[in-house]
Amino acid sequence: MEIKEISVNDYLTKSQLPSSDYVINPYIGCSHGCRYCYASFMKRFTGHTEDWGTFIDIKRCNKKINLNKISKKNVFLSSVTDCYNPIEEDCKLTRDILMQLVNSDCYLSISTKSKLILRDLDLLKQIKNLSISMSINTLDEKFREDMDNASTIKERLHTLEELHKNGIYTVLFMSPIFPYITEWKEIIEISKGYVDEYWFENLNLRGSYKTDILDYIKENYNEVYLKYIEIYNKKNNKYWETLADEINSYCEIKNIKNVNYFYHKELVEKKKRK
């Protein structure tokens, strides 16, 4: 792992994400090394030539976060890194940021794949408007191991349960959904007792990792490989349209609060028009 420290002028970055006004990314890069990670595009802007998942830049900032600037705003921690990647255990950069946000009246959303977030329960319980999302897209540990180096699925589910027990609003972010592989109904059923809301996002294959993922599917899930070609090479959206309807109907019947991010590009364009 290549680790270095860099200086930044501000932790706050104006966001183009549909539901966020500002994002905070304490790190550049992420040692979770998710094979499908869209954030790998960041290498184009940072000068990194290393493989995604093998470098981390620790962002140091002497300027305090302007709480007036984010008052009543939606703040997302983080969008292109996991703020609880393993280096955070010693670095405590995310914890320092949370200490600054304790007295904020912003609407803070934290996304992670790490059980390390439980370390900061003392601070999290003090933040007024907080939701925490944990990314889970399978119950199969072998598949998870093939895709990322983050906490196990069992650890992630336990983390959501502990957060919920401590009165924190919990979100299970089912992302990315792998067609014909992600057991979305089973994931809901096993976790609905301690999850307040579900988010759904489809697998978007682009750039350098598209070939890698398709090769993986061909080798390990050959029975659905041609269906992936139909979706990702022939651009047939029928699968996602059908799945979106199925998820919507299921959640409506079960009275499950949810948000569908399948049409992320359209949501971004809608925000820009506003």
Side-chain angles (χ1 to χ4, degrees):
M1 182 65 59
E2 294 290 328
I3 301 172
K4 68 177 181 180
E5 294 195 5
I6 63 172
S7 297
V8 297
N9 295 323
D10 200 336
Y11 279 133
L12 293 175
T13 302
K14 195 71 176 171
S15 173
Q16 296 298 324
L17 295 172
S19 57
S20 302
D21 299 302
Y22 292 95
V23 296
I24 299 175
N25 290 294
Y27 302 95
I28 295 173
C30 180
S31 55
H32 290 339
C34 301
R35 293 173 70 161
Y36 48 75
C37 186
Y38 67 88
S40 58
F41 78 90
M42 288 294 293
K43 289 170 59 175
R44 299 202 306 265
F45 306 105
T46 61
H48 286 279
T49 58
E50 306 95 323
D51 290 338
W52 183 253
T54 66
F55 66 88
I56 288 280
D57 292 350
I58 301 166
K59 295 164 73 172
R60 298 293 186 186
C61 182
N62 293 324
K63 177 184 175 183
K64 294 293 184 183
I65 295 173
N66 186 340
L67 299 187
N68 290 326
K69 189 175 183 178
I70 59 175
S71 178
K72 304 299 183 182
K73 300 293 185 181
N74 294 312
V75 178
F76 185 40
L77 178 68
S78 311
S79 60
V80 290
T81 188
D82 192 319
C83 56
Y84 282 101
N85 69 77
I87 198 172
E88 168 63 20
E89 188 166 4
D90 295 320
C91 191
K92 296 184 174 62
L93 194 54
T94 297
R95 183 170 176 85
D96 290 342
I97 290 170
L98 290 178
M99 290 176 71
Q100 295 184 55
L101 295 177
V102 162
N103 295 317
S104 171
D105 63 350
C106 73
Y107 295 89
L108 179 63
S109 178
I110 302 174
S111 182
T112 185
K113 292 180 178 177
S114 175
K115 63 180 181 178
L116 181 58
I117 193 171
L118 293 178
R119 178 200 65 187
D120 294 335
L121 262 176
D122 59 323
L123 295 175
L124 298 171
K125 289 192 291 184
Q126 298 179 56
I127 297 175
K128 301 181 187 72
N129 308 304
L130 173 66
S131 67
I132 295 176
S133 61
M134 182 68 68
S135 296
I136 296 173
N137 68 350
T138 184
L139 296 175
D140 184 345
E141 288 292 359
K142 173 62 168 61
F143 180 74
R144 194 277 307 163
E145 287 176 1
D146 289 344
M147 289 296 150
D148 69 57
N149 301 314
S151 295
T152 67
I153 299 305
K154 183 177 180 180
E155 289 169 338
R156 296 182 208 185
L157 291 170
H158 171 73
T159 299
L160 281 170
E161 188 170 14
E162 287 301 307
L163 292 168
H164 185 76
K165 285 179 182 177
N166 280 276
I168 294 169
Y169 192 88
T170 54
V171 176
L172 193 153
F173 192 14
M174 211 174 297
S175 170
I177 292 178
F178 275 70
Y180 307 102
I181 296 174
T182 297
E183 323 94 308
W184 63 273
K185 285 184 183 178
E186 290 86 346
I187 293 172
I188 292 175
E189 288 304 315
I190 202 172
S191 62
K192 63 184 180 181
Y194 46 83
V195 170
D196 295 298
E197 185 172 349
Y198 291 85
W199 297 346
F200 301 94
E201 185 176 52
N202 52 330
L203 174 66
N204 185 2
L205 293 185
R206 58 191 178 192
S208 60
Y209 60 84
K210 178 179 178 179
T211 300
D212 176 56
I213 293 295
L214 289 178
D215 287 347
Y216 172 85
I217 295 298
K218 186 175 184 179
E219 181 178 348
N220 296 275
Y221 294 87
N222 188 254
E223 68 277 8
V224 300
Y225 175 69
L226 292 180
K227 294 179 180 180
Y228 272 68
I229 295 300
E230 186 73 21
I231 295 169
Y232 293 105
N233 286 355
K234 297 183 180 180
K235 309 299 182 182
N236 187 339
N237 286 325
K238 183 63 177 176
Y239 173 84
W240 296 119
E241 293 168 1
T242 301
L243 182 59
D245 289 340
E246 290 178 2
I247 289 174
N248 182 62
S249 297
Y250 185 85
C251 290
E252 187 174 344
I253 291 170
K254 299 280 188 173
N255 197 27
I256 293 170
K257 190 173 182 181
N258 71 96
V259 178
N260 189 326
Y261 288 108
F262 282 10
Y263 309 105
H264 181 83
K265 184 178 179 180
E266 290 83 350
L267 292 171
V268 171
E269 290 300 322
K270 183 178 180 181
K271 179 178 179 179
K272 286 181 179 178
R273 288 195 298 270
K274 284 184 178 181

